[in-house]
Amino acid sequence: MAATLLSRRLIQRVNPSDHPDINARDSRLIGQRAQVIQAFVDGRGRVFVSGAEWVAEIEGAAPLAGESVIVEAMDGSKLKVRAA
């Protein structure tokens, strides 16, 4: 029991909770480059990033299929992207 309590303290020092969880896939997507696989129409399209296809929204000029965008945020299951 003492070893468990001591190991918890050690883990908290080594791995503080203010760092993002490495298993939180959503937060890891932010800042990554994605490839447009379906052209944006009215600000909505589809992109491929991190081995998966996502619905994406963009404001302003819409890139064509095959071009790159940068993931800025997540809104539920949609990615908010900007032109690269």
Side-chain angles (χ1 to χ4, degrees):
M1 192 152 110
T4 301
L5 293 174
L6 290 173
S7 66
R8 284 188 180 188
R9 284 188 169 178
L10 177 64
I11 289 172
Q12 288 175 351
R13 282 189 205 163
V14 174
N15 190 18
S17 61
D18 61 338
H19 293 293
D21 183 3
I22 62 170
N23 294 321
R25 180 180 183 195
D26 300 345
S27 63
R28 288 192 325 224
L29 292 176
I30 297 172
Q32 287 194 19
R33 186 174 297 268
Q35 183 177 13
V36 178
I37 57 173
Q38 182 181 16
F40 286 84
V41 177
D42 296 327
R44 300 188 105 205
R46 296 189 71 80
V47 298
F48 185 82
V49 62
S50 189
E53 191 175 314
W54 295 81
V55 174
E57 292 182 340
I58 192 167
E59 290 183 17
L64 301 173
E67 294 183 349
S68 293
V69 293
I70 304 294
V71 178
E72 288 193 318
M74 291 205 59
D75 181 20
S77 63
K78 294 180 287 192
L79 299 178
K80 302 276 187 172
V81 298
R82 64 174 166 83

